[in-house]
Amino acid sequence: MKVIDIYTPAVVHIPMSCNLRDASIQMRDQHVGALIATSGEPGNCIAGIVTDRDIVLQAGVSGASLNDMLVADAMTPHVVAIAADADLTDAMQTMSSHGVRRLAVTNAEQDIVGVLSLDDVIEAIGRDLVLLSSIIRCDQNRESLGCVQAPLHI
């Protein structure tokens, strides 16, 4: 399975000068758990990534209001990326080795085209497991009905 088969093809940006309340509202409204933080300058250079977990931890540790903390205070300045055509196994290894739950997905031109989350990976693997389970169940049903096929001789 490839990253391109399961990633979320939506990139939601936020200027790193915005406060964490605005970031939280944008996450809720866009139904995402991470925002790509931009410099806010011409060209909106990517400055980092801020996740829902980053916001919770920043707020919990500082005790300050979300209105008083900036995206820049909570974001991770280095965005870990993976190519859209990479194998899912490579993506999982990248997540593990970098200790992250989300990867920016890039196209051939190195533009960020989406985000691959651990939830995306779990959902895809879960679908595969359900399919495998149905194959086993189908075989068991055939066996119980006495409809077992003779082995193939090659």
Side-chain angles (χ1 to χ4, degrees), residues 45-67:
C45 296
I46 294 169
I49 186 169
V50 63
T51 68
D52 47 6
R53 187 170 191 269
D54 294 333
I55 293 171
V56 168
L57 293 176
Q58 182 69 25
V61 169
S62 74
S65 165
L66 293 180
N67 290 320

Side-chain angles (χ1 to χ4, degrees), residues 112-151:
I112 296 177
V113 294
V115 175
L116 177 70
S117 71
L118 188 58
D119 289 353
D120 295 331
V121 173
I122 291 169
E123 185 178 327
I125 291 172
R127 283 192 307 264
D128 283 353
L129 290 174
V130 168
L131 179 59
L132 288 171
S133 174
S134 69
I135 292 168
I136 292 169
R137 217 176 13 260
C138 185
D139 283 348
Q140 289 170 338
N141 288 341
R142 278 198 308 261
E143 288 173 5
S144 68
L145 294 172
C147 301
V148 179
Q149 294 179 340

Side-chain angles (χ1 to χ4, degrees), residues 79-98:
V79 178
V80 182
I82 189 128
D85 62 353
D87 287 326
L88 187 55
T89 303
D90 294 335
M92 290 186 293
Q93 182 60 45
T94 301
M95 285 180 180
S96 177
S97 65
H98 286 87

Side-chain angles (χ1 to χ4, degrees), residues 4 7 19 26 33 38 41-43 47 50 53 60 66 73 79 86-87 102 109-110 127 133 152:
I4 197 166
Y7 82 100
N19 67 43
Q26 189 167 351
T38 58
E41 299 169 1
V50 63
R53 187 170 191 269
L66 293 180
D73 299 328
V79 178
D87 287 326
R102 292 178 180 88
E109 292 77 33
Q110 299 302 308
R127 283 192 307 264
S133 174
L152 293 175

